[in-house]
Each structure stands twice: as C-alpha cells, then as structure tokens.
Amino acid sequence: MTTTNGSSPLDVEIGALQGASAGLSQYAGQVVLVVNVASKCGLTPQYSGLEKLQERYAERGFTVLGVPCNQFLGQEPGSAEEIAEFCSATYGVTFPMTEKIEVNGENRHPLYDRLTGFADAEGHSGDIRWNFEKFLIGRDGEVVARFSPQTEPESPEVVAAIEAHLA
C-alpha cells in the first residue's frame, strides 16, 4: 500500500525534540514505528514496551520514533526539556523523539498527512484517535501497518509486523 500522496513519510522535515532537525531521511532503509506520545495519558506506560522494542530490534535496523502531541485532553503539556526528562527518568527512553506537533486538524504536521491515509486491520483510516496510535514504516519508506492506541507495543501483531519487515 502506498502512502496517500505517493511520497514516503520519511521525506518530511520535522524538528527533533530538543532543537535541530530530526532528519527522517536518516531512517531510510530501516523499519520505523512512528508513535504519537504523551506523558500524562492512561496509555503512557506503553513507553516501557516501546523502549523494549527499541532495545530488541535496533541492531537489526529498527527504530521507534516518538512524536509528542498535546491534542488529546492536553496530556502532553510539557516543554521539550520536560518531555525529554520525563521519558528518560521514568521509562529510560533511548529512541529518538521529534518536536511536539499536531497530528489532526488544519495544523496537522505533513508527517501525519502522509500517515493517516493508511487503514489499520479494522479498516480505520483518517484522524488519529488518541495518544499512542502506531504506524509501521517498512524499509522501502512506505507505511505497512497501523495499530490502534490500545494495541500494546509488544503485542503479537506488532511484533509479527516488525519481524516480517526486518527479515
């Protein structure tokens, strides 16, 4: 399945959490799990599972990419420094994080313009439903899977999709 406008999500420019560019093109040829994250959400403990995926598969060409977003009940209110400190101190996060962006609405970041056209296994496409919605990008730069916010990072379906695209 190709992305909605025919170009890879990895062609988009986005800032890193603490300045500079996150340079998504650096992930070309890797398998990337893009997740909109928040520090004050009931799903925030998913950071732990995301970090375990990062640790397990990084050497095989995989990365989690955390994308902070404050659009869901203001559950990511912190500054870049506060978000970085929380993620590091609370969950030992080592995976890269982007700047805080909007994933829905008229100010939706171009990264999410390219992701949201892809449907999950239940057929949902379009707007992000909540924090911790997950998109898997294959080595070719195309979206290959979408998982609901409630799907745990280490669930069998996420692990199977990652492993299939790392093979």
Side-chain angles (χ1 to χ4, degrees):
M1 170 103 188
T2 57
T3 51
T4 53
N5 67 1
S7 32
S8 170
L10 300 180
D11 294 335
V12 172
E13 285 298 316
I14 190 168
L17 181 60
Q18 295 187 291
S21 172
L24 297 184
S25 61
Q26 71 182 302
Y27 304 114
Q30 294 188 40
V31 176
V32 182
L33 187 67
V34 179
V35 186
N36 61 301
V37 296
S39 302
K40 300 185 182 309
C41 174
L43 299 177
T44 300
Q46 287 191 22
Y47 268 122
S48 181
L50 293 169
E51 181 59 26
K52 287 177 184 168
L53 291 175
Q54 179 73 19
E55 292 169 6
R56 185 185 315 166
Y57 296 114
E59 290 182 6
R60 293 176 58 193
F62 170 81
T63 192
V64 171
L65 181 65
V67 183
C69 177
N70 194 38
Q71 284 188 286
F72 302 99
L73 296 179
Q75 294 181 342
E76 187 58 277
S79 67
E81 293 75 22
E82 290 167 336
I83 294 167
E85 173 63 23
F86 171 82
C87 291
S88 175
T90 310
Y91 292 101
V93 167
T94 63
F95 55 81
M97 302 274 285
T98 71
E99 66 185 322
K100 190 176 355 180
I101 65 166
E102 291 188 13
V103 298
N104 289 334
E106 67 179 47
N107 293 319
R108 179 190 331 240
H109 192 278
L111 173 61
Y112 277 81
D113 278 340
R114 296 184 185 186
L115 295 174
T116 55
F118 194 87
D120 64 17
E122 289 77 43
H124 175 81
S125 64
D127 280 352
I128 301 302
R129 293 165 283 193
W130 199 250
N131 302 308
F132 293 90
E133 193 143 348
K134 301 153 197 74
F135 293 87
L136 189 65
I137 300 172
R139 290 189 190 276
D140 63 358
E142 296 296 323
V143 180
V144 295
R146 180 176 183 168
F147 303 97
S148 78
Q150 292 75 23
T151 303
E152 289 291 331
E154 295 183 285
S155 68
E157 59 267 37
V158 174
V159 169
I162 291 169
E163 289 183 352
H165 290 279
L166 286 174

